[in-house]
Amino acid sequence: MKKRLSKILSLSITAALLVPTMASAADMQETAAPTPNQAVVDQGATGTMDNTGQNALANTPVVPAPPGYDGYRNNIPHGNTNLISYYSTTVGNTRKATVYTPPGYSPNKKYNVLYLLHGIGGDEYEWVNAMKPKNILDNLYSEGKLSQMIVVMPNGRAMKDDRPVGDIFAPDKVAAFERFEQDLLKDLIPHIEANYPVYKDRNSRALAGLSMGGGQSLNFGLKKSEYLRLGRGILGCTEYAICIAAGFQPGTSR
């Protein structure tokens, strides 16, 4: 039971500690709706969200992550990040993704997978360049708080020129974010499963994201539950910052 609970909680812990980094990267306003690691105080709001309830949520203070949660630590094992290429039949060309493998990674082990999506102005480099996911994950592993997983950070803009240039809200770019559903399911997931020692069932795949990537997580995850495990609770989305599907439970049966 303890081992199973550890599997269930791993993604939620990862998501909770990634949230402050995502909020900072998105330049979230102080009055934005609470992020998943904010303490929400019940101030008498009823089951329907009236102005009082909305104000209570907006004014709830942020609970900070532990000091040094995203800092580099010398005397712990470290994972690795690598840029990979895969052919997308959806787009018709080769695409890229960044892959994090945990400390002690071995081709002889089996791993869960977290697909971590970027915001509307990002790409496959955004997480690594701006948000220190490697440090966060390494630190969590060193504290024994995670079951091991591979983290895949793709480009969620499924089009031939997938750079975040020009008008990032242009109709063709918005359509490319929608098209990424097919790229993810038909091209990226099969590539990861063919080249990494990962479990290949929906209980072992998780999806989360920042802003637009969070919207993709909700849309894809709710529609494609045969591919992705939808667990307890999907945490909310704000206009400016965070939408994260933290309820996907990788490897709950192991």
Side-chain angles (χ1 to χ4, degrees), residues 19-109:
V19 161
T21 308
M22 292 191 292
S24 174
D27 193 24
M28 186 170 66
Q29 301 295 322
E30 288 182 2
T31 56
T35 62
N37 70 325
Q38 285 179 288
V40 178
V41 179
D42 183 357
Q43 298 189 5
T46 62
T48 57
M49 183 62 75
D50 56 17
N51 289 337
T52 301
Q54 290 174 351
N55 290 336
L57 291 175
N59 294 325
T60 301
V62 173
V63 177
Y69 79 101
D70 62 347
Y72 181 84
R73 300 177 189 173
N74 285 311
N75 298 319
I76 65 170
H78 295 284
N80 292 296
T81 55
N82 293 287
L83 188 67
I84 66 162
S85 297
Y86 66 98
Y87 185 76
S88 171
T89 61
T90 302
V91 178
N93 68 346
T94 298
R95 310 196 70 229
K96 296 184 183 299
T98 298
V99 175
Y100 168 90
T101 51
Y105 171 79
S106 168
N108 298 319
K109 290 183 178 180

Side-chain angles (χ1 to χ4, degrees), residues 86-96 155-163 172 175-184 186-188:
Y86 66 98
Y87 185 76
S88 171
T89 61
T90 302
V91 178
N93 68 346
T94 298
R95 310 196 70 229
K96 296 184 183 299
N155 187 319
R157 194 179 295 100
M159 59 193 301
K160 290 192 174 178
D161 183 358
D162 58 9
R163 297 173 300 158
D172 61 332
F177 275 101
E178 297 177 5
R179 191 179 303 116
F180 179 67
E181 177 182 338
Q182 298 305 312
D183 181 68
L184 173 68
K186 295 181 178 179
D187 301 307
L188 180 56

